[in-house]
Amino acid sequence: MKVGIIGAGNIGSNIASLLISQDLASEILLIDINEKLALGKMLDLSTLSVILDKNIKINSTLDYSKLKDFDIVVITAGITRKEGQSREELAKINASIVGETSKKIAEFSPNAIIIIVTNPLDLMVYACYKNSCFNKNKIIGMAGELDSARAKLNLAKLKNISPISAKINVFGMHNDEMIIQTSQDLTKDEFQTIKDETINAGANITKLLGTSAYYAPAAAVVKMVKAIKNGGNIIASVLDDNEISFGKEIKLSKKGIEKIVENEVYKSVDTSNFIKLKKNL
Ligand code: TXD
């Protein structure tokens, strides 16, 4: 599979590294407005592929015509929120980056499946849809797998169980309004603790690193690539008939979203902020 990655920063380059090590791509193209960064990452990743005995084509460019007929394109491009900057401002700036990028993908890889990573995630799925004019079943946003993994860790810590066997998932918006669903018996207080810790998980990492998390977000994208390649269920931000996007469980294949798995919790997702911000993009 040919995988394009727009934005060769922390998450983009880690996605490439995981794709190479797990034999998930035959070709990888890195595109970044910072050409030097993309070139440097490409050279480093090419060397990594040789060390791992992987025969894979890796290139970097700013020329979108090289993104011809790719199967999957991941968008991580964008800016991170600066101090004092509102969510609205960030949404506007990143929507224009994601929008321009999406138009280019539509021009050169019209049959691709697009995975959005850029924040604010759910709104960026909408921005991609509006600008690419792709069918809704070809655009998915990465957040639910990441938030669910964070919730699993928090539940495991609280109940002293393995995070792998923790039965907990996160649906809805990729922000404080996320919705947690678990079959684990919990008191109200325990549930609230897990919810608070999961909501704050990203910000805690950002405080420590001075930048947002990247290993886990990259791994979550790669999980989505695997589900596209081999078929499988994952949680992703997907658009509904009203052009509102939030995290739902979906069945994926090489054709895109095959099915949305219905769940009562979708009805309790608060979409008011999304609708308000969407109008300003
Ligand atoms: O759960 C999730 N979806 C997320 C999302 C979890 C963590 C971080 N999340 C967001 O992903 C984060 O808030 C950012 O919006 C993106 C990418 O995060 P990353 O940590 O990879 O950011 P970097 O390292 O700053 O990389 C972004 C790259 C950088 O190299 C820029 O030069 C490039 O994007 N960039 C562009 N490339 C191409 N074209 C344009 N216009 C452009 N603008 C910036």
Side-chain angles (χ1 to χ4, degrees), residues 242-258:
N242 300 316
E243 300 181 351
I244 295 170
S245 194
F246 60 79
K248 294 179 180 173
E249 183 183 348
I250 57 168
K251 185 172 187 277
L252 271 176
S253 77
K254 284 187 181 129
K255 289 190 214 139
I257 302 168
E258 293 279 355

Side-chain angles (χ1 to χ4, degrees), residues 39-55:
L39 179 61
K41 298 266 178 144
M42 182 276 279
L43 292 170
D44 195 9
L45 287 161
S46 300
T47 317
L48 173 135
S49 73
V50 174
I51 291 171
L52 297 180
D53 281 329
K54 309 290 183 188
N55 198 2

